[in-house]
Amino acid sequence: MALKVLVGCKRVIDYAVKIRIKPDKLGVVTEGVKHSMNPFDEIAVEEAVRLKERKLAKEIIVVTCGPPQAAETIRTALAMGADRGIHVEIPLDQMDTFQPLHVSKVLAKLAEKEKVDIVMLGKLAIDDDSNQTAQMTASLLDWPQGVFASKIDKTDAGLEIIREVDGGLETIRTTLPAVLSADLRLNEPRYATLPNIMKAKKKKVVKMTPADLGVDMAPRIQIVSVEDPPVREAGQTVADVDDLVAKLKEKGFSSA
Amino acid sequence: AIMRGVPQLLSRARLVRVGFSASEPVLAVQAGILQPDKFTQTFVQIRGLKSSKVISQAPLTAVDIADSGKQLKQELEAIVGPGNVSSGESVVLQHGQDEGPHPGKSPDIVVFPSSTEEVSEVCKICTRHNTPIIPYGTGTGLEGGISAVEGGVCVNVSKNMNKILQIHQEDFSAVVQPGISREMLNQEVRSDGLWFPVDPGADASVCGMCATGASGTNAVRYGTMKENCLNLEVVLADGRIIHTAGIGSRPKKSSAGYNLTSLFLGSEGTLGIITSATVCLHAIPESVAAAVVGFPTVQNAVDTVVMTLQCSVPMARMELLDEVQMKACNEYSGLSYPETPHLFLEFHGSESEVESQTETVRDIAADNEGGEFQWAVQQEDRTKLWTARHRAYYADIALRPGCRSLTTDVCVPVSALPDLVTATKADIAEHGLIGPMVGHVGDGNFHTMLLFDPADPEEFRKCKEVANKMARSAIALGGTCTGEHGVGQGKMVLLEEQFGKDGIDVMRQIKGALDPQQLMNPGKVFSRN
């Protein structure tokens, strides 16, 4: 039974960039800053491509919700091996109010429309660290979820997933269809090669808006402020052990 | 009497400013110095100045002498900004010590320029003050190339000059400043399906790799820095800025003028400061496979390599690890390879090419008494397979916790490798040392990690002895005393032996023409005379 997989990916500020807060303290500077695919989404795309290589999946549809520039992110996913793309366009100035709940609603609608068997996402996006989209999408669809997956296998009844949890590794079994989210150790994503980048240019990408899917964009969350972490204070040099002990007592760290 | 007094005079001489008039350098000599003409003569000789004459016998006060260093600092601050000049203890300490075993000497001042023009002005100031100039990239060298042997100003060109200036995706080239390391470059171009294949192990500055003529595990297929550099922007000691292949030039080939790019590649900061490099990129291979196979002897492994090359298999990586290294890797990474010489291989190409290449090499290995041929295609499996090779250095250090390693680096024609390896192993055993070996065997280049206790100078001496013997054997076999690490300080004598006096004299003449005051990284590559 060859599965149809919908993979979500997000265009975020590149992980190596030094983040700067905007003067209005309501967000971070994004203009002129290097962006790339969210690293966890790269892992998700890679896993979907491997499912296809193992002949467990027959079609991979990659979807992104983002500004016009996000078309590049879709192309990268197509170059990695996805078959076609859906670009849900959000104007750049609305990206700040576009939130995980909206994404989940979009993904749920697309999952039903495209009749997919697996919705595959990264476990979180490195810009907002929300870790909500996979879970909310599963809830909206009323599908089982296997989040923080570090290994995914097909069984007769559905899927067997090993999840990374605080206490160690948890193995669960789900039926299909299901929503999965990729954790760091699921795989090491491939680099897109030039021949594949060239092939990707010919693959189909369909554009649409959230309204086309009947999703309302009204924000549920308002960002109040964004601030730098406090500047690290200089340490104090102590002259000797006695001085250190005296200082510790002074600050209340020693009872003796 | 004058000769006995010379060292003190010379040390004071460093504090004396040298000024320049329009026509010739002059030297202000402190009153009270015996025989100022004799003193001047000696000073001239050592500094490589063409001529000088004593202009003043007036006493220079202690304040004047101390001011000389202060003046230099002020002039530098005026160019790069006060926040970018430092003579703080930990800063200078860091900038005199690289990652090799030789203790480095700290410079007097470290500057952090932000542009090529600033570098040029810094050089002009240093030239006026007759102060040595030491270029600094990432400090990841192994031969003491950044040690400020005669003090001076260390020019750290990586901290503030850290942009990728251009990426030409269709032309497969990029222009980078010294602050861009090879991993940073790779991260930037991978989304275009490209990569920069020269991989010396450390995450070195690309411009620094040009200065040392670096190479790495991929050289057998993709070449060394020499084959992957199209153009260099260089600042000379006198502040002139030149482009070695032409201003803004980046064609794949050129017959225009002297090959200055080749001259500066591998010059280890002794001819100028590299402020940007135009380097070649390559397409990320469609398919990559890794393989590991063991052999009873090094000869078997090398025979496999020679036959593979003769079959024109375009190997991407061919690494030889000897049995001592394999033992270290087993212990460190919890592996269970047989303790015999092993080849670690990597194949690049399309899926079908990689498959057929692997088949060919598997057969050749079997013909040469090769053991189990393990191979992998998936990224994580390949990483696991190559773990032993990647962690080799740390595995070696772990053999004797607390020890450091003198890493040798010789390169010989591939056919001479088995003999050299055998002779070296015997030598290591004779001296009672531990020396695991890792080789880029496709190039005939190999390294021994000679372990020594840093608190035991006798053991370090023995390591040096073995290393020097190895280099001399390599030269005798038609090879070179350094395949990739450069000459630095430690191999200056060996370089003379490899080139002969006339060869080195030509190098001296070239340096004399470009750096008459002998300010560019003194004490490296070859001696003054």
Side-chain angles (χ1 to χ4, degrees):
Chain A
M1 174 218 186
L3 309 165
K4 221 171 154 188
V5 182
L6 182 73
V7 184
C9 61
K10 185 180 181 187
R11 175 181 178 265
V12 297
I13 296 179
D14 188 84
Y15 78 92
V17 167
K18 196 162 177 203
I19 305 291
R20 283 172 315 150
I21 312 258
K22 285 201 293 204
D24 65 5
K25 291 209 162 185
L26 289 174
V28 300
V29 176
T30 54
E31 214 185 288
V33 168
K34 179 165 193 245
H35 285 67
S36 45
M37 191 192 297
N38 180 34
F40 291 102
D41 299 342
E42 279 184 351
I43 298 173
V45 172
E46 173 68 23
E47 195 63 20
V49 172
R50 289 194 190 183
L51 284 174
K52 194 166 167 215
E53 284 170 351
R54 282 155 69 187
K55 309 261 194 287
L56 295 170
K58 67 167 183 270
E59 193 188 15
I60 304 166
I61 310 160
V62 60
V63 56
T64 195
C65 300
Q69 294 91 328
E72 247 176 68
T73 314
I74 297 218
R75 288 288 159 213
T76 307
L78 294 171
M80 283 172 73
D83 296 299
R84 58 185 170 90
I86 301 173
H87 185 174
V88 181
E89 265 207 23
I90 316 286
L92 193 56
D93 55 8
Q94 284 180 33
M95 279 307 290
D96 282 340
T97 51
F98 187 67
Q99 285 147 10
L101 181 58
H102 306 126
V103 181
S104 309
K105 291 184 172 177
V106 164
L107 290 175
K109 276 272 151 60
L110 284 173
E112 285 170 336
K113 196 161 163 259
E114 296 283 345
K115 299 193 180 42
V116 303
D117 303 294
I118 295 177
V119 174
M120 183 87 179
L121 308 174
K123 78 168 178 183
L124 55 81
I126 60 171
D127 51 5
D128 58 19
D129 272 353
S130 296
N131 178 18
Q132 299 168 3
T133 308
Q135 292 87 338
M136 289 196 285
T137 309
S139 179
L140 289 167
L141 289 165
D142 198 24
W143 287 6
Q145 55 180 278
V147 293
F148 318 146
S150 65
K151 194 162 195 306
I152 299 169
D153 277 316
K154 177 94 179 51
T155 65
D156 288 329
L159 297 171
E160 186 175 286
I161 301 146
I162 298 180
R163 312 178 50 227
E164 291 193 4
V165 295
D166 285 346
L169 298 173
E170 182 191 59
T171 308
I172 61 170
R173 294 209 180 98
T174 74
T175 56
L176 286 168
V179 176
L180 307 173
S181 82
D183 207 327
L184 194 62
R185 278 158 283 274
L186 180 57
N187 60 50
E188 253 184 74
R190 67 197 61 196
Y191 298 135
T193 65
L194 277 172
N196 289 337
I197 292 174
M198 292 191 293
K199 280 187 215 152
K201 293 195 182 136
K202 301 204 187 106
K203 293 183 181 176
K204 266 203 166 68
V205 178
V206 168
K207 283 204 170 131
M208 56 182 75
T209 68
D212 294 336
L213 295 166
V215 173
D216 96 78
M217 290 278 292
R220 275 39 166 201
I221 306 168
Q222 181 202 355
I223 294 178
V224 174
S225 83
V226 180
E227 286 172 23
D228 276 310
V231 176
R232 188 180 162 187
E233 280 168 34
Q236 281 183 343
T237 321
V238 293
D240 52 28
V241 176
D242 292 326
D243 193 12
L244 172 64
V245 173
K247 287 234 161 59
L248 287 174
K249 283 193 189 153
E250 203 182 286
K251 307 233 181 226
F253 288 115
S254 168
S255 55
Chain B
I2 184 73
M3 287 323 285
R4 239 186 309 131
V6 160
Q8 292 101 301
L9 298 175
L10 289 175
S11 68
R12 255 181 290 167
R14 233 182 284 134
L15 299 173
V16 172
R17 272 179 32 217
V18 178
F20 286 105
S21 66
S23 50
E24 60 182 1
V26 299
L27 176 66
V29 178
Q30 185 175 16
I33 287 182
L34 298 167
Q35 297 180 276
D37 295 327
K38 255 289 174 62
F39 162 75
T40 309
Q41 231 177 50
T42 320
F43 186 91
V44 164
Q45 212 183 3
I46 285 173
R47 280 300 191 193
L49 298 166
K50 271 220 294 277
S51 74
S52 78
K53 66 176 189 233
V54 174
I55 55 149
S56 162
Q57 302 260 349
L60 291 172
T61 63
V63 173
D64 280 350
I65 292 171
D67 262 354
S68 168
K70 206 159 124 202
Q71 165 105 25
L72 171 62
K73 215 171 166 190
Q74 278 171 357
E75 288 183 40
L76 293 170
E77 282 176 355
I79 298 298
V80 299
N84 287 316
V85 178
S86 175
S87 49
E89 198 186 322
S90 41
V91 176
V92 302
L93 201 65
Q94 182 204 352
H95 282 81
Q97 181 66 57
D98 65 8
E99 294 189 358
H102 303 97
K105 273 204 77 202
S106 304
D108 300 307
I109 298 171
V110 181
V111 295
F112 303 89
S114 305
S115 69
T116 307
E117 290 66 36
E118 282 186 14
V119 175
S120 167
E121 291 305 313
V122 166
C123 287
K124 287 179 191 161
I125 293 170
C126 292
T127 298
R128 256 204 322 279
H129 285 262
N130 206 43
T131 305
I133 301 164
I134 302 106
Y136 179 100
T138 42
T140 46
L142 295 170
E143 299 292 339
I146 52 164
S147 175
V149 173
E150 294 181 14
V153 174
C154 173
V155 185
N156 180 327
V157 277
S158 61
K159 179 157 181 256
N160 294 331
M161 295 170 68
N162 55 6
K163 293 196 189 42
I164 297 178
L165 299 173
Q166 302 163 25
I167 297 178
H168 301 282
Q169 194 210 2
E170 288 174 359
D171 297 324
F172 282 26
S173 63
V175 185
V176 299
Q177 289 186 315
I180 294 294
S181 72
R182 60 169 190 90
E183 281 181 18
M184 287 161 78
L185 177 57
N186 267 316
Q187 188 57 35
E188 193 64 36
V189 298
R190 61 165 259 213
S191 54
D192 288 327
L194 299 170
W195 72 310
F196 175 69
V198 186
D199 175 7
D203 187 18
S205 150
V206 172
C207 292
M209 286 164 65
C210 293
T212 54
S215 161
T217 49
N218 292 306
V220 62
R221 172 139 167 192
Y222 296 96
T224 68
M225 216 48 237
K226 297 203 163 114
E227 288 81 45
N228 285 288
C229 180
L230 295 174
N231 200 349
L232 293 171
E233 179 187 74
V234 182
V235 177
L236 302 174
D238 59 12
R240 282 182 295 169
I241 304 169
I242 62 161
H243 297 87
T244 57
I247 301 168
S249 289
R250 50 182 184 87
K252 272 282 145 69
K253 61 187 197 184
S254 172
S255 277
Y258 290 173
N259 192 343
L260 296 179
T261 309
S262 254
L263 174 65
F264 284 92
L265 272 170
S267 60
E268 302 186 47
T270 58
L271 294 178
I273 305 181
I274 297 172
T275 48
S276 96
T278 307
V279 297
C280 298
L281 304 170
H282 297 252
I284 293 173
E286 259 192 83
S287 181
V288 179
V292 178
V293 55
F295 297 86
T297 68
V298 168
Q299 183 76 54
N300 291 128
V302 175
D303 286 343
T304 306
V305 169
V306 173
M307 285 188 214
T308 302
L309 292 171
Q310 285 173 337
C311 287
S312 296
V313 180
M315 294 302 304
R317 283 187 163 115
M318 281 199 284
E319 297 286 294
L320 171 69
L321 275 64
D322 79 342
E323 67 281 2
V324 181
Q325 182 65 64
M326 292 311 295
K327 177 165 187 280
C329 294
N330 279 345
E331 283 173 11
Y332 184 72
S333 303
L335 305 165
S336 51
Y337 287 105
E339 286 171 22
T340 64
H342 275 68
L343 281 182
F344 282 69
L345 309 162
E346 201 171 272
F347 306 85
H348 292 180
S350 70
E351 250 184 75
S352 51
E353 283 168 359
V354 164
E355 226 181 279
S356 94
Q357 286 171 28
T358 314
E359 276 311 302
T360 307
V361 177
R362 189 209 298 262
D363 291 339
I364 296 175
D367 283 344
N368 284 288
E369 327 277 339
E372 187 196 343
F373 190 88
Q374 300 175 51
W375 74 301
V377 177
Q378 209 72 284
Q379 178 87 35
E380 305 89 78
D381 301 331
R382 283 190 278 120
T383 307
K384 233 189 333 183
L385 211 54
W386 266 70
T387 303
R389 171 65 185 90
H390 279 138
R391 307 239 185 97
Y393 178 73
Y394 300 104
D396 296 334
I397 303 288
L399 279 174
R400 276 180 64 189
C403 71
R404 308 236 11 234
S405 140
L406 175 70
T407 306
T408 69
D409 166 45
V410 297
C411 189
V412 291
V414 183
S415 56
L417 206 55
D419 286 339
L420 183 57
V421 170
T422 314
T424 305
K425 276 171 164 317
D427 216 21
I428 291 173
E430 208 181 290
H431 282 74
L433 300 168
I434 303 177
M437 278 186 195
V438 172
H440 314 306
V441 63
D443 311 319
N445 177 207
F446 76 101
H447 307 290
T448 7
M449 267 62 76
L450 297 167
L451 302 177
F452 67 94
D453 178 355
D456 185 351
E458 175 59 19
E459 199 168 31
F460 184 65
R461 193 197 58 78
K462 282 196 213 167
C463 290
K464 279 298 273 186
E465 215 178 275
V466 170
N468 285 342
K469 204 154 165 218
M470 240 174 96
R472 292 196 165 99
S473 306
I475 295 169
L477 289 166
T480 172
C481 64
T482 168
E484 357 178 75
H485 296 169
V487 174
Q489 297 174 255
K491 295 188 174 175
M492 286 164 62
V493 172
L494 296 164
L495 192 74
E496 277 248 22
E497 294 175 24
Q498 186 171 329
F499 279 80
K501 185 169 184 307
D502 286 342
I504 302 290
D505 278 341
V506 170
M507 292 191 206
R508 286 191 181 112
Q509 285 177 284
I510 294 171
K511 177 156 167 83
L514 294 176
D515 177 24
Q517 285 170 235
Q518 303 282 324
L519 297 178
M520 292 304 311
N521 210 4
K524 313 286 162 55
V525 190
F526 48 82
S527 56
R528 281 210 182 88
N529 34 42

